Amino acid sequence: MNLVLIGYRGTGKSLVSKLLAERLHMSLFSTDEEVVRMVGMPISEIVARLGWAGFRDIESEAARQLGALDNAVIDTGGGIIERSENVDALAGNARIIWLKASVDTIVARIETDTERPALTEGKTFTEEVAEILQRRNPIYQRTAHYTIDTDSLTPEQIADQVLSFWSNR
């Protein structure tokens, strides 16, 4: 069984997934890192060359590959849930945890991140985050077996909550 973390950027998925993999003695995988490995270029370059649709196609292949694993912690990119085939590929052998946060928390955590290109044009960063969360939150909610609001929690506290859920599955 895999442990899959979903949620928007800045909710703690990367840090928490590392803590969980260490504590559970499981392999750790990142869909974003897998995409970069598959293509051999950073995400910003993939998006510049192939557009978001091209990136999402590669991400879907990464989801299929990682979903076939067992005994892994999988840190997903925030938009992976926008394609139902990705959810299906990851959910077959997994417990899915949604790490969520408010718009203000997300903006405060990632507004200086230059690694990821904008998803929308002509909006402020805060407007973009709010718009995307409005679209994605219902999908995150439908997909997740368990939800953790990370606004006021440390990565260690989030990992503790995930471990509590994991041990009671």
Side-chain angles (χ1 to χ4, degrees):
M1 172 106 14
N2 295 324
L3 180 55
V4 177
L5 300 182
I6 63 172
Y8 199 81
R9 289 185 290 160
T11 57
K13 298 183 312 279
S14 296
L15 287 171
V16 172
S17 66
K18 290 175 186 166
L19 292 171
L20 292 168
E22 289 172 11
R23 292 184 189 180
L24 293 168
H25 306 289
M26 295 170 72
S27 300
L28 173 62
F29 296 92
S30 160
T31 58
D32 282 350
E33 288 176 12
E34 188 64 16
V35 167
V36 168
R37 186 196 63 74
M38 291 166 70
V39 179
M41 64 180 80
I43 291 171
S44 57
E45 192 172 333
I46 295 169
V47 172
R49 290 185 183 196
L50 305 175
W52 277 108
F55 168 81
R56 296 286 180 216
D57 290 342
I58 300 161
E59 182 181 59
S60 292
E61 178 57 31
R64 283 189 292 279
Q65 291 177 15
L66 295 176
L69 300 174
D70 191 38
N71 203 39
V73 175
I74 302 171
D75 163 26
T76 64
I80 202 157
I81 48 83
E82 291 194 10
R83 287 189 175 179
S84 61
E85 66 263 28
N86 296 344
V87 172
D88 293 344
L90 292 168
N93 180 37
R95 288 293 173 254
I96 300 176
I97 314 294
W98 173 24
L99 302 186
K100 68 183 267 188
S102 68
V103 171
D104 290 341
T105 297
I106 290 169
V107 169
R109 289 178 181 169
I110 67 170
E111 66 186 337
T112 60
D113 179 10
T114 59
E115 292 295 309
R116 201 68 178 232
L119 295 168
T120 58
E121 296 291 324
K123 298 190 183 297
T124 68
F125 186 63
T126 301
E127 290 169 337
E128 176 185 90
V129 171
E131 180 180 300
I132 293 166
L133 283 178
Q134 184 175 13
R135 183 179 73 240
R136 289 182 184 171
N137 279 351
I139 305 168
Y140 289 136
Q141 187 169 19
R142 281 193 310 269
T143 302
H145 296 106
Y146 190 71
T147 301
I148 300 171
D149 185 334
T150 69
D151 279 340
S152 60
L153 299 176
T154 66
E156 292 78 12
Q157 291 170 320
I158 299 165
D160 288 345
Q161 285 192 28
V162 172
L163 289 171
S164 175
F165 169 74
W166 183 253
S167 65
N168 293 323
R169 66 187 193 282

